[in-house]
Amino acid sequence: MAISAFAALWFLPFVLPICLYVAFTDLREMRITNQAVLVLAAVFVVVGIFVMPLPDYGMRLVQMGVVLLIGIVLNGAGAIGAGDAKFAAAAAPFIAIADLRVLLAIFAANLLAAFVTHRLAKYTPLRKIAPDWKSWNMGWKFPMGLSLGGTLAIYLILGTIYGS
């Protein structure tokens, strides 16, 4: 993996709780809070300056802006939710561009696993654990924060183990 194991190790303890929070709130409320997105971006801005070379740090900030613009367009077209677009933008600088194929593979597997798990829980007695979650009653809509947060967490965990 192109991400530095050192950077991934420093990012992980700050990012993991945010990813878990995003997954939980999206399941419960079908929304990713602005506070979570801002804290995620702030973690990169504050920690990243200390753990990354300055040119890489600057390019990662550019990645955030590009992903935000793409997310705004996709949200305007109705393809993704606004919270999903904002979270993807805040998560973008944590990803080494050379790891994009790895990230997409993680995301695809995670999305499939999260969707199947959510649907199984929705139609089984497991639903009684959290009967008031909004995501149970949204028809075909799916809480993407579960997959987006999981993907970033898995990527950073793998980065700490297999990073350069």
Side-chain angles (χ1 to χ4, degrees):
M1 293 181 73
I3 188 171
S4 120
F6 177 75
L9 185 61
W10 274 96
F11 287 139
L12 188 61
F14 300 103
V15 171
L16 188 59
I18 299 167
C19 291
L20 294 172
Y21 174 78
V22 164
F24 175 74
T25 57
D26 210 15
L27 283 165
R28 186 182 63 194
E29 304 168 18
M30 287 298 289
R31 64 188 295 263
I32 297 173
T33 65
N34 288 336
Q35 293 87 341
V37 171
L38 291 172
V39 170
L40 184 62
V43 165
F44 180 80
V45 169
V46 172
V47 177
I49 195 78
F50 295 107
V51 300
M52 299 181 69
L54 202 52
D56 290 347
Y57 178 77
M59 283 307 298
R60 301 281 185 91
L61 291 175
V62 170
Q63 279 177 216
M64 185 185 328
V66 169
V67 172
L68 182 60
L69 288 174
I70 293 168
I72 289 169
V73 170
L74 289 173
N75 177 255
I80 62 173
D84 303 333
K86 291 181 285 188
F87 182 83
F94 293 97
I95 311 302
I97 197 73
D99 287 339
L100 190 56
R101 286 177 43 185
V102 172
L103 181 77
L104 291 175
I106 294 168
F107 178 66
N110 194 352
L111 179 59
L112 180 61
F115 184 82
V116 169
T117 302
H118 182 265
R119 292 305 191 240
L120 284 174
K122 179 178 178 176
Y123 295 111
T124 65
L126 286 172
R127 182 178 175 161
K128 293 177 185 175
I129 294 171
D132 298 326
W133 280 358
K134 193 172 181 182
S135 67
W136 300 137
N137 303 313
M138 294 302 293
W140 280 101
K141 289 187 177 181
F142 175 71
M144 285 296 292
L146 179 60
S147 295
L148 293 171
T151 297
L152 180 58
I154 291 167
Y155 173 77
L156 289 176
I157 291 167
L158 291 174
T160 62
I161 300 167
Y162 301 109
S164 59

